[in-house]
Amino acid sequence: MNSNTRLQMLLADSLIGTVLPEIAPLNLPNWWLAGGAVRNTVWHSMFGQECGLFINDLDIAFFDDAGNRSQELAAKATLTAKFPDYLFDVKNQASFARWRAGRRTYSSTEDGIKDWLHTATAVGVRLDTQGQWEFFAPYGLDDLFGGVIRPTPAHTYNPAADKKASGFLQKCPCLRLVFAE
């Protein structure tokens, strides 16, 4: 079984499998559900009770040069109305640098996701217009399935990445911290 099929099988029977079909009709350009929700679902599935990482929120990244914050808020409100027990973080990667100090401007959703702190977090899933699963994993899926916390190249010496990694290890001690080569 290839890694994408394995990831789909794990996520299909989770909250992510329920939420994905509700994101698609929002028509957010080039959207991906990515980040901690994907990572924590996989790690909790793999490590069970030993892993205290759960879904805190569902990160939805999209890219629209002409978009504004109201687009993010409308998508978040729609999803929150359908899933009131969950938090949604909807962010237009085109405008991210405009309101988040110190961030570079992204050229696409994928460019934004590649810049996330850890390789196992930089994994996106979505449904295409026919309802088929698609995956974006710029650093592959080996770290995700191997329980590896590794900073992405842009965050190799970032104290924020180190701090976040420490939090992961406290909640899920079966993970391994690996520094980028």
Side-chain angles (χ1 to χ4, degrees):
M1 167 183 341
N2 73 34
S3 295
N4 287 352
T5 302
R6 182 177 177 198
L7 182 58
Q8 181 178 339
M9 288 175 63
L10 279 172
L11 299 178
D13 292 329
S14 74
L15 172 64
I16 291 174
T18 303
V19 170
L20 279 180
E22 301 299 329
I23 300 169
L26 297 176
N27 296 317
L28 296 169
N30 196 32
W31 68 273
W32 292 98
L33 187 149
V38 173
R39 179 198 63 229
N40 292 352
T41 298
V42 170
W43 285 350
H44 191 73
S45 171
M46 289 172 45
F47 301 118
Q49 297 301 324
E50 292 180 62
C51 188
L53 292 170
F54 300 95
I55 295 176
N56 296 322
D57 63 4
L58 292 111
D59 295 306
I60 301 161
F62 68 99
F63 192 87
D64 186 355
D65 267 330
N68 58 47
R69 296 297 303 274
S70 65
Q71 199 176 12
E72 297 171 356
L73 297 172
K76 181 177 178 175
T78 299
L79 292 169
T80 300
K82 291 182 182 192
F83 302 98
D85 295 334
Y86 299 97
L87 298 174
F88 292 89
D89 189 12
V90 182
K91 294 289 186 269
N92 182 357
Q93 301 301 291
S95 63
F96 204 67
R98 284 182 246 160
W99 59 267
R100 186 131 183 218
R103 301 306 291 223
R104 68 178 178 85
T105 302
Y106 299 128
S107 60
S108 67
T109 311
E110 293 82 4
D111 189 31
I113 292 171
K114 278 192 245 179
D115 193 39
W116 290 7
L117 293 177
H118 300 102
T119 56
T121 305
V123 175
V125 297
R126 67 180 175 195
L127 299 179
D128 68 14
T129 55
Q130 287 77 43
Q132 298 300 307
W133 287 66
E134 295 183 334
F135 305 92
F136 176 68
Y139 306 104
L141 295 172
D142 289 347
D143 285 353
L144 179 64
F145 287 123
V148 171
I149 308 166
R150 180 191 319 265
T152 59
H155 298 284
T156 301
Y157 301 105
N158 183 341
D162 296 341
K163 182 177 180 182
K164 197 105 166 163
S166 293
F168 295 157
L169 288 169
Q170 286 176 348
K171 293 178 181 173
C172 193
C174 39
L175 300 174
R176 292 182 303 121
L177 181 59
V178 175
F179 296 99
E181 288 106 38

